Amino acid sequence: MDLAVWTYPWDVAEEGIDTVLRNIRDVAQCNGISLASAYHNFKQLRPHSSPGRKIYVGEGGVVYFNTDESRYGRIKPVTSNVLKEIDAFQEACDRRQEYGIDVSAWTVIMHNTRQATANPDAAMHTAHGDPSPHVLCPSNSDSREFAVALCSDLAHNYDLRAVELEAVGFLGFNHGYHHDKIGAPLGEWGAYLLGICFCDSCLNRANDAGVDGRGVMALVRSELDGIYDGSDVPPDLTKDQGVERWLRDEPEFSRYQEVAVDSVASLIDEIRAACSGSGTKVILQGEPFEETLDANRMREVVAKIDGVLVSAYNITTAEAGELMERSRKIAGEKELIVAIQAHYPEIPSSDEWRSKVRLCMDQGATGLNFYNYGISTMSQLRGVGAVLAG
């Protein structure tokens, strides 16, 4: 079974590649490292780092590998200062046989404050025309070119097991920015509507498909305005209820959403094609697609690539069983990797956590990815190793 630990390159830069790989192999009992290759902004508490470096604040929207500039178009990657210290990808790949540890690239694509802010025309836009400050749009040609180039660059220039695609589709409004201030009673339905993109690229794609995208934009805008002008009591309409109502009463809404689905699906297919011949697998992280892709469409997408990665964070063993049942239907015969949180508030030494991990292994997971090397304490990493060794 493929057992990997998600790891940040800056943790490798401080502790050294040999220490990190030994800890992953000998402490966590895993045989893979999934390194962040492109990542959004964050602040990290690092329990086992040296004094004075316990807190790490990311550069935001940068990449952590040596890029081939010839692959990129208008949107070009900005490389991290960490590369001045170490190329963690090359160091890990050079030692994969020595330690028996495979290397994957954990690649956050559309969630990129640096690029969305610098290229607002390539970002998602709300029905009111506001560009996202932190999310590129997967319908935009420049954003798509950037996504494809990132993945093919990694796949063809490093000896990787897989490129893991995170945030390659549309991200909903609740996938927040930084200290979001929201006083309007959006509820689940309003937040969903704010996460639908109406940028020029999405509207043009809709028009090409014979869909009245501007009519749908006016519909969404009117619904949101009604929420803004209403009472202070949060609406009780769920996303599913609202979608069901509009799918029944507003046929253009359904058609507009189908165009968005096609946009995401075709982008993943372009990434797969660009990585072909490299020997690197393409794995789709499933969660970001809840805004647009249903289970049937997810199954179609995953059938063309190498597998899907789903999250079992903060759920019970019983809920993990339900997750495995749903996910195996999506994965089919392809890889099914389950993400497991290996730090507080989950307790890797607890019976419940161990039970959840064992259930995922017993019910068809082909791999587990544990989050995260630098965030977890050494005791928590030992807890991972104990359940895997037992």
Coordinates of all heavy atoms in Angstrom, one line a residue, residues 323-359:
L323 N -18.0 7.1 3.6 CA -17.1 7.7 2.6 C -16.4 6.7 1.7 O -16.4 6.9 0.5 CB -16.0 8.5 3.4 CG -14.8 9.0 2.5 CD1 -15.3 10.2 1.6 CD2 -13.7 9.5 3.4
M324 N -16.0 5.6 2.3 CA -15.3 4.6 1.4 C -16.3 3.9 0.4 O -16.0 3.7 -0.7 CB -14.7 3.5 2.3 CG -13.6 3.9 3.2 SD -12.2 4.6 2.2 CE -11.8 3.2 1.2
E325 N -17.5 3.7 0.9 CA -18.6 3.2 0.0 C -18.8 4.1 -1.2 O -18.9 3.7 -2.3 CB -19.8 2.9 0.8 CG -20.9 2.2 -0.1 CD -22.2 1.9 0.7 OE1 -22.1 2.1 2.0 OE2 -23.2 1.4 0.1
R326 N -19.0 5.4 -0.9 CA -19.2 6.4 -2.0 C -18.0 6.5 -2.9 O -18.1 6.6 -4.1 CB -19.5 7.8 -1.4 CG -20.8 7.8 -0.6 CD -21.2 9.3 -0.4 NE -20.1 10.1 0.2 CZ -19.9 10.2 1.5 NH1 -20.7 9.6 2.4 NH2 -18.9 11.0 2.0
S327 N -16.8 6.5 -2.3 CA -15.6 6.8 -3.0 C -15.2 5.7 -3.9 O -14.7 5.9 -5.0 CB -14.5 7.2 -2.1 OG -14.8 8.3 -1.3
R328 N -15.4 4.4 -3.5 CA -15.1 3.3 -4.3 C -15.9 3.3 -5.6 O -15.4 2.9 -6.7 CB -15.3 2.0 -3.5 CG -15.0 0.7 -4.3 CD -13.7 0.8 -5.2 NE -12.5 0.9 -4.4 CZ -11.3 1.2 -4.9 NH1 -11.2 1.5 -6.2 NH2 -10.2 1.3 -4.2
K329 N -17.2 3.7 -5.5 CA -18.0 3.8 -6.7 C -17.4 4.9 -7.7 O -17.6 4.7 -8.9 CB -19.4 4.2 -6.3 CG -20.2 3.1 -5.6 CD -21.6 3.6 -5.1 CE -22.3 2.5 -4.3 NZ -23.6 3.0 -3.9
I330 N -16.8 5.9 -7.2 CA -16.2 6.9 -8.0 C -14.9 6.5 -8.6 O -14.6 6.6 -9.8 CB -16.0 8.2 -7.2 CG1 -17.4 8.9 -7.0 CG2 -15.1 9.2 -8.0 CD1 -17.3 10.1 -6.0
A331 N -14.1 5.8 -7.8 CA -12.8 5.4 -8.2 C -12.8 4.2 -9.2 O -11.9 4.1 -10.0 CB -11.9 5.0 -7.0
G332 N -13.8 3.4 -9.0 CA -13.8 2.2 -9.9 C -12.6 1.3 -9.6 O -12.3 1.0 -8.5
E333 N -11.8 1.0 -10.7 CA -10.6 0.2 -10.5 C -9.4 1.1 -10.3 O -8.3 0.5 -10.2 CB -10.4 -0.7 -11.7 CG -11.6 -1.7 -11.9 CD -11.7 -2.6 -10.7 OE1 -10.7 -3.1 -10.2 OE2 -12.9 -2.8 -10.3
K334 N -9.5 2.4 -10.3 CA -8.4 3.3 -10.2 C -8.0 3.4 -8.7 O -8.6 2.9 -7.8 CB -8.7 4.6 -10.8 CG -9.1 4.6 -12.2 CD -7.9 4.1 -13.1 CE -8.3 4.0 -14.6 NZ -8.2 5.3 -15.2
E335 N -6.9 4.1 -8.5 CA -6.4 4.3 -7.1 C -7.4 5.1 -6.3 O -8.0 6.0 -6.8 CB -5.1 5.0 -7.1 CG -3.9 4.2 -7.7 CD -2.6 4.9 -7.4 OE1 -2.5 5.8 -6.5 OE2 -1.6 4.6 -8.1
L336 N -7.6 4.7 -5.0 CA -8.4 5.4 -4.1 C -7.5 5.7 -2.8 O -7.2 4.8 -2.0 CB -9.6 4.6 -3.7 CG -10.5 5.2 -2.6 CD1 -10.9 6.6 -2.9 CD2 -11.7 4.3 -2.3
I337 N -7.1 6.9 -2.8 CA -6.2 7.4 -1.7 C -7.1 8.1 -0.7 O -7.9 9.0 -1.0 CB -5.0 8.2 -2.2 CG1 -4.2 7.5 -3.2 CG2 -4.1 8.7 -1.0 CD1 -3.2 8.3 -3.9
V338 N -6.9 7.9 0.6 CA -7.6 8.5 1.7 C -6.7 9.4 2.5 O -5.6 9.0 2.9 CB -8.3 7.5 2.6 CG1 -9.2 8.3 3.6 CG2 -9.2 6.6 1.8
A339 N -7.1 10.7 2.6 CA -6.4 11.7 3.4 C -6.8 11.5 4.9 O -8.0 11.6 5.2 CB -6.6 13.1 2.9
I340 N -5.8 11.4 5.8 CA -6.0 11.3 7.2 C -5.3 12.4 7.9 O -4.1 12.6 7.7 CB -5.5 9.9 7.7 CG1 -6.1 8.7 6.9 CG2 -5.7 9.8 9.2 CD1 -7.5 8.5 7.2
Q341 N -6.0 13.1 8.8 CA -5.3 14.1 9.6 C -4.6 13.5 10.7 O -5.1 12.7 11.5 CB -6.4 15.1 10.1 CG -5.8 16.3 10.8 CD -6.9 17.3 11.1 OE1 -7.2 18.2 10.3 NE2 -7.6 17.2 12.2
A342 N -3.3 13.9 10.8 CA -2.4 13.2 11.9 C -2.0 14.2 12.9 O -0.9 14.1 13.5 CB -1.2 12.6 11.2
H343 N -2.9 15.1 13.3 CA -2.6 16.1 14.3 C -3.9 16.5 15.0 O -5.0 16.3 14.5 CB -1.8 17.3 13.8 CG -2.5 18.0 12.7 ND1 -3.6 18.9 12.9 CD2 -2.4 17.9 11.3 CE1 -4.0 19.3 11.7 NE2 -3.3 18.8 10.8
Y344 N -3.7 17.2 16.1 CA -4.9 17.7 16.9 C -5.8 18.5 16.0 O -5.3 19.3 15.1 CB -4.3 18.6 18.0 CG -5.4 19.1 18.9 CD1 -5.9 18.4 20.0 CD2 -5.9 20.4 18.7 CE1 -6.9 18.8 20.8 CE2 -6.9 20.9 19.6 CZ -7.4 20.1 20.6 OH -8.4 20.6 21.4
P345 N -7.1 18.4 16.1 CA -7.9 17.8 17.2 C -8.1 16.3 17.1 O -8.7 15.7 17.9 CB -9.2 18.5 17.1 CG -9.4 18.8 15.7 CD -8.0 19.2 15.2
E346 N -7.6 15.7 16.0 CA -7.6 14.2 15.9 C -6.4 13.7 16.7 O -5.3 14.3 16.7 CB -7.6 13.7 14.5 CG -8.9 14.2 13.7 CD -9.2 13.3 12.6 OE1 -9.5 12.1 12.8 OE2 -9.2 13.8 11.4
I347 N -6.6 12.5 17.3 CA -5.5 12.0 18.2 C -5.0 10.7 17.6 O -5.7 9.6 17.7 CB -6.1 11.8 19.6 CG1 -6.8 13.0 20.1 CG2 -4.9 11.4 20.5 CD1 -5.9 14.2 20.2
P348 N -3.9 10.7 16.9 CA -3.4 9.4 16.3 C -3.2 8.2 17.3 O -3.1 7.1 16.8 CB -2.1 9.8 15.7 CG -2.3 11.3 15.4 CD -3.0 11.8 16.5
S349 N -3.1 8.5 18.5 CA -2.9 7.4 19.5 C -4.3 6.9 20.0 O -4.3 5.9 20.8 CB -2.1 7.8 20.7 OG -2.7 8.9 21.4
S350 N -5.4 7.5 19.6 CA -6.7 7.1 20.2 C -7.3 5.9 19.5 O -7.0 5.6 18.3 CB -7.7 8.3 20.0 OG -8.0 8.5 18.7
D351 N -8.1 5.2 20.1 CA -8.7 4.0 19.6 C -9.6 4.4 18.4 O -9.7 3.6 17.4 CB -9.6 3.3 20.6 CG -8.7 2.6 21.7 OD1 -7.5 2.4 21.4 OD2 -9.3 2.3 22.8
E352 N -10.3 5.5 18.5 CA -11.2 5.9 17.4 C -10.4 6.2 16.1 O -10.8 5.8 15.0 CB -12.0 7.1 17.8 CG -12.9 7.8 16.7 CD -14.0 6.8 16.2 OE1 -14.4 5.9 17.0 OE2 -14.5 7.0 15.1
W353 N -9.3 6.9 16.2 CA -8.5 7.3 15.1 C -7.9 6.0 14.5 O -7.9 5.8 13.2 CB -7.4 8.2 15.5 CG -6.6 8.8 14.4 CD1 -6.8 10.0 13.7 CD2 -5.4 8.3 13.8 NE1 -5.9 10.2 12.7 CE2 -4.9 9.2 12.8 CE3 -4.6 7.1 14.1 CZ2 -3.8 8.9 12.0 CZ3 -3.5 6.9 13.3 CH2 -3.1 7.8 12.3
R354 N -7.4 5.1 15.3 CA -6.8 3.9 14.8 C -7.9 3.0 14.1 O -7.6 2.5 13.0 CB -6.3 3.0 16.0 CG -5.0 3.6 16.6 CD -4.7 2.9 17.9 NE -3.4 3.3 18.5 CZ -2.3 2.6 18.5 NH1 -2.3 1.4 17.9 NH2 -1.2 3.1 19.0
S355 N -9.1 3.0 14.6 CA -10.2 2.3 14.0 C -10.5 2.8 12.7 O -10.8 2.1 11.7 CB -11.4 2.3 14.9 OG -12.5 1.7 14.3
K356 N -10.5 4.2 12.5 CA -10.8 4.8 11.3 C -9.8 4.4 10.2 O -10.1 4.1 9.1 CB -10.9 6.3 11.4 CG -11.2 7.0 10.1 CD -11.6 8.5 10.4 CE -10.4 9.3 10.9 NZ -10.8 10.7 11.0
V357 N -8.5 4.5 10.6 CA -7.4 4.2 9.7 C -7.5 2.7 9.2 O -7.4 2.4 8.0 CB -6.0 4.5 10.3 CG1 -4.9 4.0 9.4 CG2 -5.9 6.0 10.5
R358 N -7.7 1.8 10.2 CA -7.8 0.4 9.8 C -9.0 0.1 8.9 O -8.9 -0.6 8.0 CB -7.9 -0.4 11.1 CG -6.7 -0.4 12.0 CD -5.4 -0.7 11.4 NE -5.4 -1.9 10.6 CZ -4.3 -2.4 10.0 NH1 -3.1 -1.7 10.1 NH2 -4.3 -3.5 9.4
L359 N -10.1 0.8 9.2 CA -11.3 0.6 8.3 C -11.0 1.0 6.9 O -11.4 0.3 5.9 CB -12.5 1.4 8.9 CG -13.8 1.3 8.1 CD1 -15.0 1.2 9.0 CD2 -13.9 2.5 7.1

